[in-house]
Amino acid sequence: HGAERGDVLRGSLASCLRVSGLVDIGICNPPYVPTEDPEEMEGTGVSISWAGGARGREIIDRLLPEVVDILAPRGFFYLVCMAENDP
């Protein structure tokens, strides 16, 4: 693909992105399944990719405040969630 260099960004969710006010459309499918058992929140990869914590909002509640900063003035953000998340 011809890329000679790339930048590595380390951060949490959208806070590491250098796109303040530039995102026209954002889409996120976070872990959103309510998970009451703390043991279900342990591990890595696919085994916990669905586990959203209490009410399924552990990642959602961290992400939404960051989305406001990256969206363009007329930008849209789509988030996968379910009724149990109290959207």
Side-chain angles (χ1 to χ4, degrees), residues 13-83:
L13 304 171
S15 66
C16 67
L17 302 176
R18 298 179 217 142
V19 293
S20 182
L22 299 175
V23 175
D24 292 320
I25 299 173
I27 301 170
C28 184
N29 182 6
Y32 62 88
V33 176
T35 311
E36 300 298 329
D37 184 356
E39 288 185 17
E40 288 184 276
M41 296 293 293
E42 297 175 5
T44 59
V46 174
S47 65
I48 67 162
S49 62
W50 53 271
R55 292 182 25 243
R57 295 188 59 115
E58 187 166 311
I59 299 298
I60 294 170
D61 288 341
R62 288 178 35 216
L63 175 64
L64 290 180
E66 296 180 15
V67 168
V68 173
D69 293 332
I70 66 169
L71 281 180
R74 297 181 58 104
F76 290 91
F77 183 72
Y78 297 94
L79 176 75
V80 177
C81 62
M82 58 196 298

